[in-house]
Amino acid sequence: MRVLVVKLSSLGDVVHTFPALTDAMRAVPGLEVDWAVEEAFAPIARLHPAVREIITVPLRRLKKRPLAALAGGEAAATRRALAGRRYDVVIDAQGLVKSALVAMLTQGRRHGFDRESAREGLAAVAYHGRHRVPEVEHMAERIRKLFAAALGYSLEGRPLDTGLRPLPLPEGDAPHLVFLHGTTWPTKTWTVSGWRALAGEAEKAGMHALVFTQGAAEEARARAIAKGRPAVEPLPPQPLETLIPLIASAAGVVSVDTGLGHLAAAFGVPTVGLYGPTDPRLTGLVGARVRELKSTRDCAPCEKSRCRIAPETVEGPPCLADFEAGSVWRTLRELSAPS
């Protein structure tokens, strides 16, 4: 059976599709899976063993520089790639109008969430098979149910499995931690003092931590975290292809609510997630060795990018500033202990 998955973005959403792919790979003999995804996330989609071919969709470039993208023939190449082969089943696992439009470029019976379940109800018009999967549980479970309904198998007795496993450290390398401090909302950030105190705990344990950076704000925060802390190693901006093995081989990861945290969890790396304004119940970390620390404040989760009770706060709102480094460190060590 030939299947096309349409899940264009974001990084966390792409990772949340992995358990459904694992189910399908085990349930459907001879399954061949292609994946239509935004080009920025193609390195992530390629990680799952069920995926045969990636079809990159240059949506971001079409939005930013439409004439250049069209003149370069990228849009036409994507249309040819989508229409050039016939699929038995096309699954739009995103439920947006843009993903439904991509699905409509294909040859095959299209499946997706029904009007009440899709993130944008209008997307359901594009599907031949519309499946009701209410938004009352984690997105990964909802996508698993969508795949099972579209491909005709039962999830009974199938534990959630992302299909990824940790990678071994290169020979001679010392074990390392990864601190994922960068995120899109100011309200999702932890304090610099919290990260520095956590680095102090790592130093006492004889470990070092890698800190990724992307953009001026993250670079400035990384320098502040690393100042006077020899255990912290800020890394310059680099592509996903080089970040992925660093995460997958880490001894542990501490992450705010950001896409790379979902990837660490999916690899089975011990991962502690810090949650304040967002609710991990529906879109949190998925993996075998995960612990989510959630704010206990009455106002959390607020799902706001600007803090209501401390609107002047640029980073580290009260709901996240409450987390103490010692508690975060103990949680990480508990996760890392042999089972």
Side-chain angles (χ1 to χ4, degrees), residues 73-138:
E74 293 173 279
T78 298
R79 286 198 301 271
R80 287 195 300 270
L82 290 167
R85 65 201 73 186
R86 182 163 187 84
Y87 294 99
D88 298 295
V89 176
V90 177
I91 303 175
D92 177 6
Q94 194 137 28
L96 298 176
V97 170
K98 65 180 181 180
S99 58
L101 290 173
V102 170
M104 288 179 69
L105 297 174
T106 65
Q107 297 184 62
R109 184 170 175 81
R110 297 184 296 273
H111 290 257
F113 297 111
D114 73 1
R115 192 178 186 89
E116 285 71 34
S117 306
R119 288 164 65 184
E120 295 178 355
L122 185 59
V125 174
Y127 313 138
H128 302 104
R130 304 177 184 95
H131 306 281
R132 178 156 298 185
V133 190
E135 193 176 1
V136 294
E137 56 189 333
H138 196 284

Side-chain angles (χ1 to χ4, degrees), residues 155-179:
L155 290 177
E156 187 175 354
R158 298 186 188 277
L160 185 148
D161 186 346
T162 63
L164 305 186
R165 300 295 180 266
L167 296 179
L169 269 176
E171 189 173 349
D173 284 8
H176 64 273
L177 305 172
V178 173
F179 293 169

Side-chain angles (χ1 to χ4, degrees), residues 187-190 274-278 293-302 304 307 309-310 316-323:
T187 51
K188 292 182 184 180
T189 57
W190 196 24
L274 307 181
Y275 285 84
T278 52
L293 302 182
K294 296 175 282 189
S295 174
T296 58
R297 288 184 176 249
D298 292 341
C299 57
C302 65
K304 302 294 184 183
C307 181
I309 64 172
C319 59
L320 281 164
D322 288 343
F323 292 125

Side-chain angles (χ1 to χ4, degrees), residues 179 194-207 229 231-232 325 329:
F179 293 169
W195 287 115
R196 286 177 55 76
L198 188 64
E201 298 287 351
E203 286 176 12
K204 287 187 285 187
M207 301 193 71
R229 290 292 189 193
V232 178
W329 180 254

